[in-house]
Amino acid sequence: MTTLVKMPRNGSEVSTQRNRSSLPSLSSWVDDLFETGLGTGFLSNFNTGMTLPAVNIKENKDEYFLEIAVPGMKKSDFNINVENKVLSISSEKSEETVNEDENYTRKEFGYSSFKRTFTLPDTVESENINAKYNDGILTIHLPKREEAKEKPAKRIDVS
């Protein structure tokens, strides 16, 4: 693995090249352990938080659709509310597993959450908003009010 940045250690500059003929000291071995993928790979197992999920917004003449990518969830994990023209979508999920093997016990737990909010335009009929979850995509249907729907062009005759 190549070191991209030289970081000072104990007041000295770190060399990216090491004399391969000599055996590493204990401290350099520990440093190498965490500079290689093992250190970051080990620590990344504990990062089970969720970033903000990606959202697609589609509109046609009658409605809006929000598509939110949230794989690995259940329908019951979502909390969707509309209050004062603000649509809030949130989820909170925690998991805990215990594995016992001989003299070693490993206990892992994870917690993830997110919250997305959207200010709804006046054209949305908020009483008829509905949602469905399928194949990791949460789809929220936002119908437009009748007066906001696009009307076909009307020909006006001149008299």
Side-chain angles (χ1 to χ4, degrees):
M1 177 174 211
T2 304
T3 304
L4 298 177
V5 179
K6 294 181 180 182
M7 299 294 294
R9 256 189 225 141
N10 298 333
S12 63
E13 193 172 294
V14 176
S15 171
T16 57
Q17 298 295 322
R18 188 171 269 138
N19 183 354
R20 300 289 178 204
S21 62
S22 64
L23 292 174
S25 67
L26 179 60
S27 65
S28 68
W29 180 81
V30 171
D31 290 341
D32 286 345
L33 180 70
F34 286 101
E35 285 177 0
T36 62
L38 178 61
T40 56
F42 175 73
L43 295 175
S44 70
N45 288 334
F46 294 103
N47 183 13
T48 58
M50 182 183 292
T51 60
L52 286 179
V55 176
N56 294 331
I57 301 175
K58 297 191 300 186
E59 178 184 10
N60 63 35
K61 65 182 180 121
D62 296 327
E63 60 219 348
Y64 299 95
F65 287 97
L66 293 179
E67 298 172 327
I68 305 170
V70 281
M73 307 292 277
K74 295 181 287 194
K75 293 176 186 180
S76 60
D77 291 334
F78 299 107
N79 186 14
I80 303 171
N81 295 311
V82 176
E83 185 177 347
N84 296 327
K85 297 183 185 179
V86 175
L87 174 69
S88 298
I89 304 139
S90 62
S91 177
E92 234 178 289
K93 186 176 180 180
S94 61
E95 297 177 10
E96 186 171 329
T97 59
V98 177
N99 296 326
E100 294 184 23
D101 184 18
E102 294 181 18
N103 294 336
Y104 180 74
T105 299
R106 179 178 71 194
K107 184 174 183 179
E108 295 181 351
F109 56 92
Y111 174 82
S112 60
S113 68
F114 75 89
K115 182 173 185 176
R116 297 289 309 250
T117 58
F118 301 90
T119 301
L120 298 177
D122 292 333
T123 58
V124 171
E125 194 174 298
S126 59
E127 309 81 44
N128 293 325
I129 294 174
N130 60 55
K132 72 177 182 181
Y133 182 68
N134 190 26
D135 293 334
I137 304 294
L138 176 65
T139 303
I140 300 176
H141 174 241
L142 304 157
K144 290 183 180 179
R145 296 184 187 279
E146 195 60 40
E147 61 271 14
K149 293 180 182 177
E150 290 181 22
K151 308 289 190 262
K154 178 182 174 186
R155 179 166 169 80
I156 300 173
D157 292 327
V158 177
S159 55

